[in-house]
Amino acid sequence: MLIIGCDYHPAFQQIAFVDSETGELQERRLQHREEAEKFYRNLAAQGMKVRVGMEASGHARWFERLLAELNFELWIGDAAEIRTKRVRKQKTDRQDAQLILKLMLKDDFPRIWVPSWENRDLRQLLWHRHRMVQARTRVMNQLQAVALNEGLRCKKRLWREAGREQLEAIRLAPWASRRRRDLLELLDRLTPTITELTQTIEQEAEKCPEARRLRTHPGVGSLTALAFVLIIGRAERFQCGKQIASYLGLVPLEESSGNRRRLGHITKQGNALLRFLLVEAAQVSARSIPEWRNKYFHLAMRRGRKIAKVAMARRLAVQMFWMWRKGWDYEQVRKFGSHAEQPGHRDGVQFNTEKLMGRPAPQ
């Protein structure tokens, strides 16, 4: 077998490879895309078994497809963990490739979970819809600015038929009028596209049993549920809710030493889209569930609204994880889950046991 350590860059890749039978070590620098593809196809033509290791990186989709087409084994490693295993202070592409090869030979390569091609393609649907919504929001904000500059203050009523007529009736200078017309045309094109993408997401969520189950939670819609399932992948990868929160970057950055403990802002190391959706969904949940609303206002008064929103997003992510892990919908969570924070069940198991035995509940 040929074992290859690959330091991947968008324009080229530096590789160090060794033949496990002969022990021969070689190094090469392959330019993308023609030279690299020719090199790997020649290996496949020789009938060699190949294992390639590389750090997790963007802009490598074509390379992954090529290796899958040639039936070569691909290991993708955690770039942060690989970086911690570097001993020398010097860093070059050759040394990076040699380090990856060394870790693979020592069976110490930090492999990570890689989603399937179908999973990645559905993620593109979510990202595309998200970017289209962002573009529409920017267009609408610009049109609101045009209206405010001319003394028209309609807020949301600007997007109704009467508000639109008022906006179009405003007399503007030639280039300002051109800008208004172009922005309105963009808005008219973006809205049907977003509607179509939203319907597609709802159809995909309906096909997914896990997403249907997560949608039963108040505040969680098809977009958030499907994004959670696609990005988490398999619930069995995580053992507890703390790991989920850490994976999504919803835990505080900690720099502690000795008797000093310092917690900063959240790490933001996870998927930015899912973290954004959880924050949005958690605010709806806080309005819909009395216990969540009380918790949100308590945190908002103590720490501020921004921190309270993120805290509720973490709470929502953990609850969605356990719903998925246990196969429960929201009603089952309310019935069988923890009741410690509910007013009628504030003493949990002890309260329920004493109630069944006929003893008075503690006051």
Side-chain angles (χ1 to χ4, degrees), residues 44-58:
Q46 298 173 20
M48 300 189 66
K49 296 180 62 177
V50 178
R51 177 182 298 158
V52 180
M54 60 180 289
E55 294 180 351
S57 173

Side-chain angles (χ1 to χ4, degrees), residues 239-256:
Q239 301 301 318
C240 61
K242 289 183 179 179
Q243 293 182 0
I244 283 287
S246 177
Y247 184 76
L248 297 177
L250 291 171
V251 296
L253 180 66
E254 183 173 3
E255 293 184 4
S256 302

Side-chain angles (χ1 to χ4, degrees), residues 4-16 28-33 35-37 39-40 52-54 62-63 66-67 93 97:
I4 302 177
C6 175
D7 182 40
Y8 186 91
H9 295 268
F12 67 92
Q13 59 180 267
Q14 180 73 35
I15 63 174
R28 287 193 61 177
R29 183 186 179 100
L30 304 174
Q31 296 295 326
H32 292 161
R33 169 175 176 181
E35 185 179 2
E37 186 169 353
F39 173 79
Y40 288 103
V52 180
M54 60 180 289
W62 71 269
F63 184 55
L66 173 64
L67 297 183
D93 296 335

